[in-house]
Amino acid sequence: MRGDGDGWVVSDTGQAFWGRHGAAGLLLRAPGPDGSAAVLLQHRAAWSHQGGTWGLPGGARDSHETAEEAAVREAYEEAGLTPDQLVVRMSLVTKEVYGVGNEYWSYTTVIADAREMLPTTPNRESAELRWVALDEVADLPLHPGFADSWERLRLACVSLPLLVNPPL
């Protein structure tokens, strides 16, 4: 189902950003096999914008949604994760730009925890979904926007204790 957020915002430098009302993605963490945090990443389908790179399940915000609501909705659409499987911990605006006519656009990364590395069901926007150890994320060919924010997000993940048994 298409929402009212689908569409591009063109920055004052001519660069296009997806989401008429901004965009959001979910950085879902869970205990890995050794107990340390693993995160769920999406290998973007070849046909998609920046296809072939790794990033987060996410996409355009609709006008009526908070960033948290949009990120959770996108995780459901792109990975089959339901809201009752995760606990939102924090949100970080990881990109802000102004468009033509002073139109504001932002990308918000929502960090959430799950009890375990949940099974996923990719949609057509994903070539693959994979749980990746925090220390291995930077080894993948990352989506440029995600790559630009990864160090800040990694530090937030390290400083925010993983809820091993989050109240769901």
Side-chain angles (χ1 to χ4, degrees):
M1 182 169 109
R2 294 181 59 92
D4 71 349
D6 286 354
W8 296 95
V9 170
V10 178
S11 75
D12 52 9
T13 63
Q15 189 173 6
F17 295 90
W18 183 249
R20 294 180 50 233
H21 308 287
L26 188 75
L27 180 57
L28 183 61
R29 309 180 309 166
D34 66 357
S36 63
V39 295
L40 181 64
L41 296 183
Q42 175 193 50
H43 192 197
R44 299 171 60 84
W47 61 265
S48 68
H49 182 65
Q50 301 291 340
T53 61
W54 289 85
L56 303 175
R61 284 176 60 180
D62 289 334
S63 61
H64 64 277
E65 291 180 309
T66 65
E68 292 80 8
E69 290 168 337
V72 170
R73 175 184 49 78
E74 288 284 344
Y76 174 72
E77 292 174 4
E78 296 180 4
L81 300 171
T82 58
D84 64 329
Q85 294 178 294
L86 52 95
V87 174
V88 171
R89 300 293 308 282
M90 70 181 301
S91 298
L92 294 167
V93 175
T94 51
K95 181 77 174 180
E96 294 179 290
V97 298
Y98 286 91
V100 175
N102 213 28
E103 186 176 20
Y104 175 76
W105 181 93
S106 66
Y107 188 93
T108 302
T109 301
V110 177
I111 299 175
D113 290 343
R115 292 180 190 267
E116 61 188 353
M117 294 188 303
L118 300 167
T120 59
T121 305
N123 73 358
R124 66 185 195 90
E125 296 179 41
S126 304
E128 178 185 359
L129 294 164
R130 182 190 305 171
W131 288 95
V132 178
L134 276 178
D135 294 340
E136 297 173 7
V137 170
D139 297 337
L140 296 170
L142 301 179
H143 179 283
F146 183 51
D148 288 345
S149 63
W150 174 242
E151 186 56 23
R152 181 176 172 212
L153 292 168
R154 187 190 68 75
L155 290 173
C157 286
V158 169
S159 67
L160 182 66
L162 176 65
L163 291 180
V164 178
N165 289 308
L168 301 177

